[in-house]
Amino acid sequence: MKRILTTIALIAIAVYTLSNLLQRPTAKANSNYSVYLPMVTNVSNGQSTNPTPTPEPTPTVDPAQLKADAIAAVNSERAKAGCAPVSAQADLGNGAQAWADYMVAHNTYDHSVFVDVDWYLHHGYTRSDWLSENVAAGPHTGADVVALWMSDEGHKAAILAGCANTDHVFDIGIGFNNYRWVLAIGELHN
């Protein structure tokens, strides 16, 4: 019994530590965060200098294009598996976007069901008999986030949902904010 309690305690500590690591804030322009550059010492004369870094241009991100690329990548994976394609559905997309925005605003990373089991229903999506949600943080392109999800059996299963039911309708919604991604797939049985 003592060993079981110790194991449970260690697991809880690990989960807490990992959740804190995943929820670290990132610095944004005009934020209150400070970035300290390393001090460089010229060893030959003992003088210290703090070089001015050359800033890299910030790439322009088009969230609509990133979402479209993610949907295209999902449909490519579904086609390889013989699945029916998914179609973007506005209310499902609004719910996914609201969840991505929520995660950024609350500095969290989790599935919407832990906040509201009816998240998508409350954001206007009522067409589904079944709903699946994938979340990710970090990938910079739609193809990269889908590749990440496809590398995990659980996330892959959500993307390839309903392959045997090609007569069903499949909706998709993608949310994106600050490289937090949400994919929601709804299945409507005919």
Side-chain angles (χ1 to χ4, degrees):
M1 183 66 163
K2 197 173 196 179
R3 181 179 277 178
I4 292 172
L5 291 175
T6 302
T7 302
I8 292 171
L10 289 173
I11 290 171
I13 292 170
V15 168
Y16 175 78
T17 302
L18 284 174
S19 69
N20 280 338
L21 288 174
L22 291 174
Q23 295 180 15
R24 293 280 187 238
T26 56
K28 297 180 191 174
N30 300 322
S31 71
N32 292 328
Y33 298 103
S34 298
V35 177
Y36 297 98
L37 300 174
M39 172 125 346
V40 178
T41 303
N42 184 341
V43 179
S44 63
N45 65 13
Q47 295 179 350
S48 296
T49 60
N50 194 0
T52 302
T54 305
E56 293 184 27
T58 304
T60 302
V61 176
D62 179 5
Q65 185 61 53
L66 291 174
K67 292 176 190 182
D69 292 346
I71 292 171
V74 165
N75 278 330
S76 174
E77 294 296 336
R78 288 178 66 84
K80 289 179 199 173
C83 302
V86 292
S87 299
Q89 202 281 334
D91 290 331
L92 189 56
N94 291 341
Q97 185 60 52
W99 184 244
D101 295 343
Y102 179 95
M103 286 193 296
V104 169
H106 293 88
N107 194 29
T108 189
Y109 177 76
D110 215 335
H111 289 281
S112 61
V113 68
F114 296 114
V115 171
D116 181 354
V117 72
D118 291 324
W119 181 269
Y120 291 92
L121 180 65
H122 292 149
H123 286 85
Y125 184 68
T126 59
R127 288 173 37 98
S128 183
D129 297 325
W130 176 86
L131 185 79
S132 179
E133 177 185 75
N134 287 352
V135 296
H140 285 213
T141 69
D144 288 346
V145 74
V146 172
L148 176 67
W149 286 325
M150 291 299 289
S151 70
D152 173 76
E153 288 304 313
H155 293 98
K156 180 179 180 177
I159 289 172
L160 301 180
C163 281
N165 301 315
T166 55
D167 62 325
H168 294 184
V169 175
F170 295 90
D171 295 331
I172 189 170
I174 300 285
F176 174 82
N177 186 337
N178 197 27
Y179 301 102
R180 300 256 172 103
W181 294 86
V182 177
L183 170 136
I185 294 181
E187 180 177 353
L188 183 63
H189 302 140
N190 293 334

